[in-house]
Amino acid sequence: MVLDKPKQPLQLRDVPRPNAGRGQLIVRVVTCAVCRTDLHVVDGELPDPKLPLILGHQIVGRVQGIGEETDSKFQIGDRVGIPWLGWTDGECAYCRSGRENLCDKARFTGYTINGGYAEFTVADARFCFPLPERYNDVEVAPLLCAGLIGYRSYRKTGNARRLGIYGFGNAAHLIAQVVLYEGRDLFVFTRPGDTKTQQNAKTLGAKWAGGSDEMPPEKLDAAIIFASVGPLVPTALRALAKGGIVVCGGIHMSDIPSFPYADLWEERVITSVANLTRRDADEFLQLAPRVPVKAHTETFPLEQANTALDRFRAGKLSGTAVLVMDGN
């Protein structure tokens, strides 16, 4: 499944089985979850993708080949997860200070290197992860981006007792389960009038759920914005208590409108989340089965990747779309 040009439908093309280079794994893809970032790439909202490009960065597969000088923690047949962050140089100031997610030379699965809308892929072994046995191949796929970026966003909120989440999609649903597991008060904001999603949030355990045009009944200590809607930033700021933080959890967001300094004053903070680190993956994949974090999924064969993307864009999915490869 190869993207030839931005803003054009994906076209199936025969792709030869890859070879493993030094430090790499050949992975037979079993499942690959569909992410909103895939839409941002297809719709041309993220600049300069590798073209032609195979999308997909929530990959679950089995090791089929191991290149020279590859970390011996993996063996043929092992199940591995391949996330968004696919390679860093390991030498820059960011990498050496534990901030490899900010590496200027970083490469990203399904964006600047080929991803998992395919039967086989090649990945740097250092950026592959063993997966919790508790989950099957479909269940675990959404944890590899929606789960990981949600986890990094959540950890940026520190010890916030009252946490608001704007946009209750895949990432929000997954991390909300961690929020409640750790005993925080959860406040959920949806599109105005989306009473179905609001009720789902309350059923999950949210203390309050309402439209993004509403103020919560209590001031928030932190808010995470998963919706790619810039005007939600000043809205969320106004919902914060003193010293609160707004975390923008998306890789793409529309422009943030101007707002009065008074909304930011009293040591409120706005921050973004860029990518993820291997530490995030290690921590979250250990935590998820203890909660346990559960994803709602809807499966599609690889040949229906366009259908999955179209339904995602139109908001017509009943859960996270997961592509399932032939024979799995």
Side-chain angles (χ1 to χ4, degrees):
M1 187 64 70
V2 179
L3 177 66
D4 290 306
K5 298 178 181 178
K7 297 188 179 181
Q8 288 194 0
L10 293 168
Q11 300 295 327
L12 278 174
R13 176 195 298 174
D14 290 332
V15 179
R17 178 169 171 164
N19 296 313
R22 182 173 298 175
Q24 293 182 324
L25 303 177
I26 297 176
V27 176
R28 178 174 62 85
V29 180
V30 180
T31 62
C32 184
V34 177
C35 180
R36 182 164 296 279
T37 302
D38 299 337
L39 285 179
H40 291 319
V41 174
V42 171
D43 293 342
E45 293 172 332
L46 292 181
D48 303 321
K50 182 189 87 69
L51 293 175
L53 172 67
I54 299 174
L55 290 171
H57 57 273
Q58 301 182 88
I59 305 167
V60 178
R62 302 294 191 283
V63 176
Q64 297 290 293
I66 301 176
E68 297 179 359
E69 299 182 19
T70 300
D71 192 325
S72 60
K73 69 180 180 181
F74 295 117
Q75 298 179 355
I76 300 295
D78 284 353
R79 186 172 76 153
V80 297
I82 305 172
W84 171 250
L85 185 64
W87 182 90
T88 62
D89 63 22
E91 300 175 351
C92 68
Y94 296 116
C95 289
R96 288 187 283 106
S97 60
R99 298 176 293 164
E100 63 184 8
N101 58 310
L102 302 179
C103 177
D104 288 332
K105 297 180 181 179
R107 300 173 190 167
F108 304 105
T109 311
Y111 179 40
T112 55
I113 52 179
N114 283 328
Y117 286 24
E119 294 177 327
F120 290 90
T121 193
V122 172
D124 188 314
R126 299 172 302 162
F127 293 85
C128 299
F129 299 90
L131 298 173
E133 294 183 3
R134 186 191 191 285
Y135 299 105
N136 65 34
D137 297 329
V138 172
E139 294 169 335
V140 77
L143 305 188
L144 291 166
C145 184
L148 291 179
I149 204 67
Y151 177 77
R152 184 168 183 83
S153 300
Y154 174 53
R155 286 303 179 216
K156 277 188 167 286
T157 66
N159 297 317
R161 170 59 52 187
R162 296 159 300 184
L163 176 64
I165 293 181
Y166 287 78
F168 205 65
N170 299 333
H173 178 263
L174 294 177
I175 204 59
Q177 297 171 61
V178 177
V179 173
L180 296 168
Y181 172 77
E182 295 190 343
R184 316 290 178 91
D185 291 335
L186 176 64
F187 300 78
V188 171
F189 301 81
T190 71
R191 289 187 181 93
D194 187 356
T195 55
K196 180 180 178 180
T197 301
Q198 292 164 19
Q199 185 55 50
N200 289 341
K202 291 176 182 177
T203 300
L204 187 65
K207 186 173 182 179
W208 176 89
S212 59
D213 57 346
E214 301 178 55
M215 283 290 112
E218 306 172 45
K219 287 290 188 179
L220 306 175
D221 299 309
I224 303 173
I225 300 176
F226 288 116
S228 55
V229 181
L232 288 177
V233 173
T235 297
L237 273 177
R238 290 192 291 272
L240 290 185
K242 298 175 184 179
I245 183 171
V246 172
V247 180
C248 301
I251 192 171
H252 170 80
M253 179 176 277
S254 62
D255 289 347
I256 300 170
S258 62
F259 54 88
Y261 176 66
D263 291 347
L264 183 64
W265 190 57
E266 295 176 317
E267 300 194 352
R268 295 174 180 87
V269 174
I270 303 171
T271 188
S272 65
V273 167
N275 314 313
L276 57 107
T277 68
R278 284 173 285 180
R279 179 178 175 179
D280 296 327
D282 288 334
E283 291 180 358
F284 180 69
L285 292 174
Q286 291 180 39
L287 172 62
R290 296 202 301 267
V291 174
V293 174
K294 298 178 181 179
H296 298 307
T297 59
E298 184 175 349
T299 59
F300 297 80
L302 174 62
E303 291 77 9
Q304 292 182 16
N306 282 326
T307 300
L309 287 166
D310 289 342
R311 289 183 60 185
F312 193 175
R313 184 184 288 106
K316 295 181 178 180
L317 291 172
S318 60
T320 301
V322 179
L323 303 181
V324 179
M325 310 314 158
D326 288 344
N328 298 306

